[in-house]
Amino acid sequence: MTDHPQDLAVLQRRLAEFAAARHWQPYHTPKNLVAALSVEAGELVEIFQWLTPEQSAAVMADPDTAHRVRDEVADVLAYLLQFCEVLGVDPLAALAAKIERNESRFPVPDPRND
């Protein structure tokens, strides 16, 4: 993994500035952003749609496909961050809270019961 000097707040600010410079804010409603997020997630799914499990695990070995995967991941993350910004959701806090709930809901099985 490479070093990433930018945190989510910096990326959210860059995305907001990008949209503001193009006067796109009126279109960045929660409804429009979540729809765009869904479309981009669908484009990511499309890359993997007909692959076997083995092929999907090796998808990053092909430079062209790896580039497509990274682009779609970036699009999904960009729309998710913009969606969170518009609604005032802290995505890291939301994820941490969800992990905690899941840890309570799905405890580690006791190996003695196997």
Side-chain angles (χ1 to χ4, degrees), residues 14-26 28 82:
R14 286 183 65 192
L15 288 165
E17 290 169 356
F18 182 88
R22 289 151 183 83
H23 309 289
W24 290 352
Q25 305 98 316
H28 284 194
Q82 290 173 90

Side-chain angles (χ1 to χ4, degrees), residues 46-65:
E46 184 179 31
I47 296 168
F48 294 86
Q49 185 172 6
W50 302 113
L51 300 181
T52 65
E54 296 77 19
Q55 290 169 326
S56 70
V59 76
M60 299 306 283
D62 175 60
D64 291 334
T65 306

Side-chain angles (χ1 to χ4, degrees), residues 14-83:
R14 286 183 65 192
L15 288 165
E17 290 169 356
F18 182 88
R22 289 151 183 83
H23 309 289
W24 290 352
Q25 305 98 316
Y27 308 105
H28 284 194
T29 64
K31 175 190 162 288
N32 288 349
L33 290 169
V34 79
L37 172 61
S38 176
V39 169
E40 296 301 339
E43 290 178 7
L44 183 59
V45 170
E46 184 179 31
I47 296 168
F48 294 86
Q49 185 172 6
W50 302 113
L51 300 181
T52 65
E54 296 77 19
Q55 290 169 326
S56 70
V59 76
M60 299 306 283
D62 175 60
D64 291 334
T65 306
H67 177 73
R68 289 178 55 214
V69 168
R70 283 190 296 272
D71 273 358
E72 295 308 333
V73 165
D75 289 342
V76 168
L77 184 57
Y79 280 117
L80 180 60
L81 291 177
Q82 290 173 90
F83 177 79

Side-chain angles (χ1 to χ4, degrees), residues 94-104:
L95 178 57
K98 181 67 175 190
I99 291 169
E100 287 179 23
R101 283 194 306 279
N102 283 344
E103 288 171 341
S104 295

